[in-house]
Amino acid sequence: MTDLENRRERLEFNKLQKRLRRNVGRAIADFNMIEEGDRIMVCLSGGKDSYAMLDILLNLQKTAPVRFELVAVNMDQKQPGFPEHVLPEYLQSLGVPYHIVEKDTYSVVKEVVPEGKTTCGLCSRLRRGTLYGFAEEIGATKVALGHHKDDIVETLFLNMFYGGRLKAMPPKLRADDGRNIVIRPLAYCREEDLERFAGYKAFPIIPCNLCGSQENLQRQAIKQMLREWDRKSPGRTENIFSALTRVSPSQLADRDLYDFESLELDRSMPAAGGKGDYPLERQVHSWVPDEELDEPRYIDALNL
């Protein structure tokens, strides 16, 4: 590779890294994901997304407006052939505090799920339950998962098409029992950016096919549908995600969410003249280093 090609490659990497850090910083600020004194349990699967999440959080930690700890945690589910040395060696090279949680969920999944059926759903639930319990053991105040914008939009359609529910993955969530707060710092990041970033960084990827399970065919079908939509109409996935952040309960049909039954006429106020009342865009405190900003609205600091 020539010097010119090296410079171009470096420039492309810098632009990509800046975009990812900016998107993570915005998500953290918009949803107040990380607060002063938090101990964040960063869940590592060995895939590109969780590696990128840890890398970006480590960088933001240096310039963040609050102090917080990061603890990396991986769950060894005892799949045959799992390379147990990969993550410890990588995390030791970074100097990051970490834990490897050993739990044989592989045997449970293989015993319960019929041969030929996808194991991803049950495997994920068992893993999540174990990690939630471990978060309490180590005193973690937040659990960080590596789901990105494409994951969130795919989940929306999975729930609509196969579950009849209008729900996705929120960027921030309190567990049903109230004992853990889950955050998704990559909520504003696109999968294609994370794939490129992982290639640049040469993360030691551990494939998620060690159990011999077929892929989640429903999710793959949704992923292919969205890619085709984006190919024909660029920006469609972005618009769908944006819709999740601007929900109008009165324009849907959920009677638990909106009180349609009690609607009455109210002509006490002057007619609006067709103009809607829109709230001013709120400012968020900066989670992105000043040199990486390209939008001035993230410079002002609030609630510090």
Side-chain angles (χ1 to χ4, degrees):
M1 188 178 289
T2 66
D3 288 343
L4 178 59
E5 288 173 331
N6 278 328
R7 287 197 297 272
R8 286 175 176 169
E9 190 80 358
R10 187 64 189 173
L11 177 62
E12 288 301 312
F13 170 73
N14 288 337
K15 288 168 58 179
L16 173 63
Q17 183 169 248
K18 175 182 176 180
R19 180 164 62 250
L20 287 172
R21 290 181 183 176
R22 182 173 65 247
N23 286 338
V24 172
R26 288 177 55 199
I28 291 172
D30 284 352
F31 295 93
N32 194 29
M33 290 185 185
I34 298 178
E35 301 168 89
E36 180 71 34
D38 266 341
R39 191 166 203 234
I40 311 297
M41 186 175 100
V42 183
C43 297
L44 290 182
S45 65
K48 67 181 188 311
D49 305 324
S50 57
Y51 276 125
M53 175 174 63
L54 176 62
D55 185 278
I56 295 166
L57 287 177
L58 284 169
N59 276 281
L60 290 181
Q61 190 181 36
K62 301 170 186 175
T63 56
V66 297
R67 291 172 298 175
F68 62 95
E69 294 180 61
L70 295 173
V71 180
V73 173
N74 168 257
M75 185 172 163
D76 179 355
Q77 297 176 265
K78 298 304 176 186
Q79 301 103 320
F82 183 77
E84 298 179 0
H85 65 285
V86 171
L87 276 164
E89 289 178 0
Y90 175 73
L91 294 169
Q92 286 169 15
S93 72
L94 295 179
V96 179
Y98 73 91
H99 298 276
I100 305 296
V101 181
E102 297 189 4
K103 184 84 170 180
D104 186 4
T105 59
Y106 170 81
S107 298
V108 175
V109 169
K110 283 300 184 182
E111 183 177 340
V112 172
V113 179
E115 189 67 32
K117 297 292 184 179
T118 181
T119 61
C120 300
L122 177 59
C123 180
S124 176
R125 288 193 295 274
L126 291 173
R127 182 172 64 247
R128 192 76 55 85
T130 300
L131 290 172
Y132 282 0
F134 190 71
E136 287 194 64
E137 285 184 34
I138 64 173
T141 55
K142 306 278 174 59
V143 177
L145 302 179
H147 298 120
H148 47 68
K149 182 178 286 186
D150 296 78
D151 286 326
I152 292 171
V153 173
E154 288 163 16
T155 302
L156 170 68
F157 283 96
L158 278 169
N159 282 315
M160 285 198 298
F161 289 177
Y162 302 106
R165 300 284 306 272
L166 189 61
K167 69 174 187 176
M169 292 174 172
K172 186 178 182 181
L173 170 72
R174 185 173 67 180
D176 291 340
D177 62 4
R179 302 180 72 86
N180 283 288
I181 298 288
V182 174
I183 59 174
R184 295 182 168 98
L186 302 181
Y188 290 170
C189 299
R190 295 300 305 267
E191 183 173 22
E192 61 183 359
D193 282 346
L194 295 167
E195 287 175 347
R196 290 177 56 216
F197 188 68
Y200 279 123
K201 300 287 287 189
F203 295 133
I205 304 296
I206 301 174
C208 186
N209 59 5
L210 297 170
C211 59
S213 167
Q214 61 177 328
E215 291 188 54
N216 186 325
L217 298 181
Q218 292 176 344
R219 182 172 287 276
Q220 291 304 312
I222 295 294
K223 186 184 290 289
Q224 184 58 39
M225 178 192 76
L226 291 170
R227 284 179 175 170
E228 185 65 16
W229 282 1
D230 260 338
R231 186 184 67 80
K232 293 180 177 178
S233 302
R236 182 167 290 186
T237 297
E238 295 285 353
N239 286 338
I240 294 169
F241 182 86
S242 180
L244 289 173
T245 71
R246 297 183 293 174
V247 177
S248 301
S250 64
Q251 308 304 303
L252 300 175
D254 188 331
R255 291 174 296 164
D256 293 327
L257 191 63
Y258 188 81
D259 186 7
F260 293 97
E261 238 177 88
S262 302
L263 285 180
E264 296 178 351
L265 283 174
D266 181 3
R267 292 173 176 165
S268 60
M269 299 293 290
K275 294 181 180 180
D277 295 323
Y278 300 102
L280 292 174
E281 183 179 359
R282 67 182 182 85
Q283 291 180 309
V284 294
H285 62 73
S286 176
W287 268 85
V288 184
D290 288 349
E291 66 272 13
E292 295 187 356
L293 289 166
D294 66 356
E295 298 179 73
R297 75 186 184 94
Y298 299 115
I299 294 177
D300 293 337
L302 299 178
N303 303 320
L304 298 185

